[in-house]
Structure formats: C-alpha cells, structure tokens
Amino acid sequence: QVQLVESGGGLVQAGGSLRLSCTASGRTFRPYAMGWFRQAPGKEREFVAAIHWSDYTTYYLDSVKGRFTISRDTSKNTLYLQMNSLKAEDTAVYYCAAVFSLVLPTTLNAYDYWGQGTQVTVSP
C-alpha cells in the first residue's frame, strides 16, 4: 500500500502562484509513476501532469504547459506541482496519484493510489 498526502492548496488571485506537495509513504519501491489530476465542480476529474520516478519523463495537459511544472524529491518521497500564472479555470480540487509502472500513464484509471485532494481556488 501507498499513502499519499497532499498540501499547499489555497486561495490565490489570477496571475499568482501556488506550489502543491504530495508526500508518499508505505510501499515505495521503484519504478513508479506519479501524477496530478484535478476536478472542478460539475466536471470530470482530468489529468494535469505526471512524472516517472526513474527517468524524469514528464507529461502535461496542454492548457498548463509553460505554466505548471511537476517535479519530485526522491530523498523526501515528495511530489510537487509548481503552478504559475494561475487562471480562474485552474480552480479545482487537485489530487495526487501513484502507480507502480514502467511507463508513464496519463489516464485516471491507470493509477492505483490517490490522495485526499487539496482545494485550489483562483479568483478572477
């Protein structure tokens, strides 16, 4: 089992920045992939970004490319999402997810472990 705990959400004005963190504990052998998903009110949960722990491969949702950066600190078993130039449409609950995989999946159903989510609200 893997436990994931997110933090760092909050309220920010449009154009501002936030950094989300996700700390993993429990079964943490490698290789595995970790990602960020988000769910806005009334919408389905969508992929935002993912990173593979072994080779640093990253994928991003097109609408966040150039604004969001996913990274990880292996020594701390922590995943980050640096979000810059935030827009009102980025408002959502952001979830951290993990899966033991040799590839880097971007679909929701591919991930086995999920955090509880952290709210990000961007005011216009």
Side-chain angles (χ1 to χ4, degrees), residues 34-38 46-52 56-72 79-84 90 94 104-107 111:
M34 293 190 73
W36 290 98
F37 289 76
R38 66 186 181 187
E46 66 174 353
F47 168 81
V48 176
I51 187 168
H52 203 281
Y56 299 80
T57 300
T58 57
Y59 289 153
Y60 292 93
L61 177 68
D62 284 347
S63 63
V64 307
K65 286 180 181 177
R67 300 189 298 122
F68 291 10
T69 302
I70 190 170
S71 62
R72 87 289 187 276
L79 177 74
Y80 301 100
L81 185 68
Q82 177 66 44
M83 305 185 294
N84 299 327
D90 295 318
Y94 283 70
L104 188 56
T106 60
T107 57
Y111 285 81

Side-chain angles (χ1 to χ4, degrees), residues 6-27:
E6 302 103 331
S7 62
L11 173 64
V12 64
Q13 289 186 331
S17 299
L18 281 175
R19 189 178 80 156
L20 305 183
S21 300
C22 172
T23 300
S25 61
R27 180 190 182 198

Side-chain angles (χ1 to χ4, degrees), residues 55-121:
D55 62 6
Y56 299 80
T57 300
T58 57
Y59 289 153
Y60 292 93
L61 177 68
D62 284 347
S63 63
V64 307
K65 286 180 181 177
R67 300 189 298 122
F68 291 10
T69 302
I70 190 170
S71 62
R72 87 289 187 276
D73 185 332
T74 303
S75 66
K76 297 180 180 180
N77 281 334
T78 300
L79 177 74
Y80 301 100
L81 185 68
Q82 177 66 44
M83 305 185 294
N84 299 327
S85 302
L86 282 161
K87 304 175 181 180
E89 51 263 43
D90 295 318
T91 294
V93 177
Y94 283 70
Y95 297 90
C96 171
V99 62
F100 293 97
S101 173
L102 292 176
V103 297
L104 188 56
T106 60
T107 57
L108 186 151
N109 292 337
Y111 285 81
D112 293 326
Y113 304 100
W114 291 85
Q116 81 289 351
T118 185
Q119 177 70 48
V120 171
T121 303

